[in-house]
Amino acid sequence: MATLLTTAERNAGLPGLGETGWAAVPDRDAIRKVWKFRNFSEAWGFMSRAALLAEKLNHHPEWRNVYNVVDVTLTTHDCHGLSDLDLKLAEAMDRFAGQAEVQRDHGQPVQSLCEARAAR
């Protein structure tokens, strides 16, 4: 069973993730990141790579996909908060995402390419 990150582990791991666009989720011990890929195929490829690692780690993200957008929240349900598994998965997802655009303002609505085209 996973254990919550210690203060030292949080101080070591979370600032670097914050620099890449991961942010705290209000009212939860969790982190969230939103990527915008060039198209659905790139988004799906990212999710496939992440899913294979998640299965290997037996640690599964909360995520949502709309066309080219992938919105991910990480937390460890076993220990009700952030664990080393979340840091490992977040770091790997950052590698898998390549040059995808990161939406850093999580207060703004996320709009996929389909929605943007329909609004024109």
Side-chain angles (χ1 to χ4, degrees), residues 1 3 7 26 50 61 64 71 89 93 97 104 114 118:
M1 185 169 157
T3 59
T7 300
R64 180 175 179 268
D71 183 343
L89 193 52
M93 288 176 138
R104 292 179 180 270
C114 287

Side-chain angles (χ1 to χ4, degrees), residues 5 9-19 22 31 82 87:
L5 293 174
E9 291 167 330
R10 287 169 188 271
N11 291 340
L14 293 176
L17 291 175
E19 290 174 13
W22 289 94
I31 54 176
L82 292 171
L87 299 182

